[in-house]
Amino acid sequence: MGNLTPEEEKELKKVVREEFVKLDTNKSGMIDKNELRNLLKKISKTQGEPLDEKGVDETFDQLDTDKSGKISLEEALENWKMFSLLIQLSKEKFNLK
């Protein structure tokens, strides 16, 4: 996970796991495109912009590295920078905890 210390990497993985569970609203153990779309819709709404479906597709495709149609926890951990940015944006905009 880059130039992180083992302790930082452990903490980052913990945060990604916790946030992954929150985004997995249907409790399937995976994040589907609709769950990601809902998050991106909230972010775009607070920015006064319409939801960009192409952006949803591109973001989903980048996170869904095995092209299964769902984002697994492992994929979120592998792509922690992008996943963390989405979480950070949602927390800043909606005070999500």
Side-chain angles (χ1 to χ4, degrees), residues 40-51 94:
L40 295 175
K41 187 186 297 184
K42 289 178 185 177
I43 293 170
S44 66
K45 192 174 192 178
T46 63
Q47 295 175 343
E49 299 175 8
L51 181 64
F94 318 111

Side-chain angles (χ1 to χ4, degrees), residues 3-51:
N3 296 325
L4 300 175
T5 67
E7 189 59 37
E8 290 170 330
E9 185 174 333
K10 182 179 176 182
E11 182 62 25
L12 179 64
K13 285 182 177 182
K14 178 183 173 206
V15 169
V16 169
R17 280 186 189 97
E18 289 170 356
E19 297 302 327
F20 184 91
V21 169
K22 291 176 187 176
L23 287 176
D24 179 21
T25 56
N26 67 5
K27 306 301 180 210
S28 68
M30 307 284 262
I31 296 173
D32 61 33
K33 192 177 281 190
N34 198 42
E35 289 166 322
L36 181 64
R37 180 181 290 109
N38 289 338
L39 174 65
L40 295 175
K41 187 186 297 184
K42 289 178 185 177
I43 293 170
S44 66
K45 192 174 192 178
T46 63
Q47 295 175 343
E49 299 175 8
L51 181 64

